[in-house]
């Protein structure tokens, strides 16, 4: 349970009453980080997960009204959360229509720093540094030139894709998901798992 959200909700109510609500299971096809974030950020709801940490289609609301007949409160909150989850699902579906690698060139339009250029220029510098590191490591740990070449290719691919999710609708709406969404989209595009890890872990 996020402590910051708990503190915030605690300050919003005088007589907290907790009720269990549900949303349609079809929304669980969206990465759970997206659903949890939209519920917490936009609605101040508490998402519920199972013992393995997997999101369920149930969530908690904290109401300022204690009643033995909370049906209208529960249904009202279920009705409110539905458009938020629908938005997340829409963003996720729209983003997948355009492979992440297609967004690489568009990063030239994203300013990184007015004295350091755009994001594409930044990425090219990162790739150059990463390749030097890859070569150094390969000398010590790779038994063949073929494996070393594979590592170099993965390094370049990871560099090209690691910031591409900045141009997705989902990250545009929720910047906190950068890297996380990159991993999801890269795997959806059937890229290498090492490349997917680079997208998430470099943050």
């Amino acid at each position: 349970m996020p402590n910051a959200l708990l503190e915030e909700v605690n300050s919003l109510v005088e007589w907290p009453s907790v009720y269990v609500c549900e949303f349609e299971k079809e929304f669980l096809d969206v990465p759970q980080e997206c659903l949890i974030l939209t519920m917490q950020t936009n609605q101040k709801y508490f998402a519920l997960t199972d013992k393995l940490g997997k999101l369920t289609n149930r969530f908690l609301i904290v109401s300022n009204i204690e009643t033995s007949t909370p049906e209208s409160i529960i249904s009202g909150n279920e009705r409110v959360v539905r458009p938020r989850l629908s938005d997340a699902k829409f963003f996720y579906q729209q983003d997948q229509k355009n492979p992440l690698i297609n967004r690489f060139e568009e990063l030239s339009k994203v300013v990184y720093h007015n004295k350091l250029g755009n994001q594409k220029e930044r990425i090219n510098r990162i790739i150059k540094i990463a390749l030097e590191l890859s070569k150094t490591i390969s000398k010590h740990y790779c038994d063949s030139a073929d494996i070393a070449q594979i590592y170099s290719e993965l390094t370049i691919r990871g560099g090209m894709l690691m910031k591409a999710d900045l141009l997705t609708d989902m990250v545009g709406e929720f910047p906190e998901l950068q890297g996380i969404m990159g991993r999801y989209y890269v795997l959806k595009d059937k890229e290498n798992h090492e490349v997917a890890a680079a997208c998430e872990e470099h943050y």
Side-chain angles (χ1 to χ4, degrees):
M1 181 179 294
N3 292 330
L5 179 60
L6 184 61
E7 288 293 330
E8 182 179 1
V9 171
N10 187 51
S11 300
L12 293 174
V13 293
E14 295 182 55
W15 192 270
S17 298
V18 179
Y19 302 110
V20 180
C21 301
E22 293 185 358
F23 58 81
E24 290 81 355
K25 288 186 177 180
E26 66 186 63
F27 289 119
L28 294 175
D29 292 336
V30 179
Q32 67 179 44
E33 293 90 342
C34 307
L35 303 180
I36 292 171
L37 189 59
T38 191
M39 283 192 285
Q40 291 179 353
T41 304
N42 294 318
Q43 305 301 143
K44 313 305 177 190
Y45 295 156
F46 294 90
L48 294 176
T49 58
D50 61 21
K51 292 179 180 180
L52 299 176
K54 186 176 180 181
L55 183 68
T56 69
N57 68 318
R58 306 173 78 200
F59 60 96
L60 301 178
I61 64 165
V62 181
S63 173
N64 207 32
I65 301 172
E66 183 180 27
T67 175
S68 58
T69 55
E71 290 79 12
S72 60
I73 295 174
I74 291 171
S75 63
N77 281 275
E78 290 175 344
R79 190 166 56 250
V80 166
V81 80
R82 195 170 294 117
R84 298 291 189 180
L85 301 182
S86 294
D87 285 345
K89 183 178 180 180
F90 176 76
F91 293 148
Y92 184 54
Q93 291 174 335
Q94 288 298 112
D95 286 341
Q96 291 179 72
K97 292 180 179 179
N98 186 19
L100 211 57
I101 192 63
N102 291 350
R103 303 173 196 268
F104 174 64
E105 294 297 332
E106 297 177 40
L107 288 168
S108 63
K109 302 173 185 176
V110 180
V111 175
Y112 168 53
H113 188 282
N114 60 359
K115 292 183 179 180
L116 297 175
N118 57 54
Q119 285 285 8
K120 184 184 174 185
E121 292 169 329
R122 178 192 186 196
I123 287 169
N124 286 331
R125 292 193 294 268
I126 292 173
I127 290 174
K128 189 176 292 186
I129 295 169
L131 278 173
E132 288 301 316
L133 291 172
S134 177
K135 290 174 185 176
T136 301
I137 293 171
S138 295
K139 287 178 183 178
H140 295 283
Y141 296 102
C142 290
D143 295 329
S144 74
D146 289 340
I147 295 176
Q149 179 62 29
I150 290 171
Y151 284 146
S152 293
E153 291 171 1
L154 289 174
T155 299
I156 294 171
R157 195 69 173 179
M160 292 176 70
L161 286 166
M162 67 181 187
K163 297 290 186 186
D165 68 347
L166 293 175
L167 295 172
T168 62
D169 292 337
M170 188 69 82
V171 174
E173 183 72 14
F174 300 110
E176 301 95 326
L177 294 176
Q178 56 188 309
I180 294 172
M181 295 314 301
R183 175 173 62 84
Y184 276 109
Y185 293 143
V186 161
L187 292 175
K188 284 284 185 180
D189 294 339
K190 302 189 186 308
E191 297 276 355
N192 188 284
H193 281 262
E194 298 290 342
V195 173
C199 289
E200 180 172 27
E201 293 176 8
H202 85 280
Y203 280 101

